[in-house]
Amino acid sequence: MNQTIKKNQLDEWRIKQIHYRNTEAMIETNWWMVLGALLFVGGAIASLCNNKSLILISLFGILLSLISLYLGYRKKIRGWEIITARCIDREWKQILGKPGLQGGVRMVWTFILLCEYNKEGQRYLVTPSYWSPTFFTEKGLKKFFNRAISSDGNCRLRVNPENPLQTELVVNGMLKKLMSHQD
């Protein structure tokens, strides 16, 4: 099969992404995360070249990066509301994943949801984001759908009150509890 045709088929989705932000807008940089990454790389190089005890700089860099990611996310979603929405459509397919640690790529399953909710008398159609939209098996993806979407088609979304099109799918699990401190 022609690689170009295959790539085009992978890029085509029946459900079109509903964008919530200006694609030309600047993205805010998490400078603490950048500093943590630089400390990690610098500490690793310094420990390889000079002294093994300098690996602590790398460990501090990793810790700083993780903490800054967590705090940055908490700051971003502060004041967001959790609402019940209706999942009116879902689409999933197998695509080429990102290159792994050893350089290869593997096929993964990903999805897009189309949800609707009402807020202050206005109906919104959204395609919510989710922190990790890829799965190694279709069975794993369907298990995720069973946790995220109730049998009557409802799901929970975290909604940015300043931009009602910016939504995230809320799913029960350890990461959700860690990131949002919710039941």
Side-chain angles (χ1 to χ4, degrees):
M1 177 189 264
N2 183 331
Q3 191 69 4
T4 306
I5 292 172
K6 189 173 183 181
K7 170 117 174 73
N8 288 341
Q9 289 172 341
L10 294 176
D11 290 340
E12 292 178 14
W13 288 85
R14 180 178 48 79
I15 300 174
K16 300 301 178 201
Q17 186 75 34
I18 298 172
H19 296 284
Y20 63 86
R21 69 178 178 93
N22 179 354
T23 56
E24 297 176 12
M26 297 289 289
I27 296 174
E28 186 176 326
T29 302
N30 183 336
W31 292 108
W32 289 109
M33 213 305 272
V34 172
L35 176 62
L38 291 173
L39 286 173
F40 171 74
V41 172
I45 292 171
S47 68
L48 291 174
C49 297
N50 298 328
N51 186 344
K52 297 292 182 206
S53 64
L54 293 176
I55 196 73
L56 291 175
I57 295 172
S58 288
L59 296 176
F60 177 73
I62 289 174
L63 185 62
L64 179 62
S65 294
L66 292 174
I67 290 171
S68 68
L69 283 174
Y70 172 77
L71 293 176
Y73 179 75
R74 295 288 299 156
K75 179 182 174 186
K76 172 188 150 191
I77 64 166
R78 187 178 306 135
W80 287 29
E81 306 166 36
I82 294 184
I83 55 102
T84 299
R86 180 147 188 84
C87 180
I88 57 175
D89 200 0
R90 63 183 105 167
E91 181 179 3
W92 64 93
K93 65 171 74 175
Q94 196 172 27
I95 63 168
L96 283 175
K98 294 180 181 177
L101 294 174
Q102 299 173 350
V105 294
R106 68 165 62 171
M107 298 300 286
V108 295
W109 290 88
T110 189
F111 68 92
I112 187 169
L113 300 177
L114 181 63
C115 300
E116 70 177 348
Y117 72 94
N118 290 306
K119 181 179 178 188
E120 298 173 357
Q122 184 164 353
R123 179 177 172 255
Y124 293 95
L125 281 176
V126 295
T127 51
S129 63
Y130 185 66
W131 68 275
S132 177
T134 59
F135 298 83
F136 294 122
T137 65
E138 186 176 21
K139 182 179 177 181
L141 174 64
K142 289 181 178 180
K143 186 177 177 181
F144 170 80
F145 282 155
N146 289 336
R147 281 186 32 221
I149 304 167
S150 68
S151 59
D152 62 356
N154 289 334
C155 61
R156 293 176 359 146
L157 300 180
R158 182 175 285 115
V159 179
N160 181 350
E162 295 176 13
N163 182 354
L165 296 179
Q166 185 178 10
T167 58
E168 294 180 353
L169 186 62
V170 176
V171 181
N172 292 331
M174 185 57 79
L175 183 71
K176 181 199 142 248
K177 289 180 182 176
L178 177 67
M179 297 302 276
S180 62
H181 301 288
Q182 306 220 342
D183 305 326

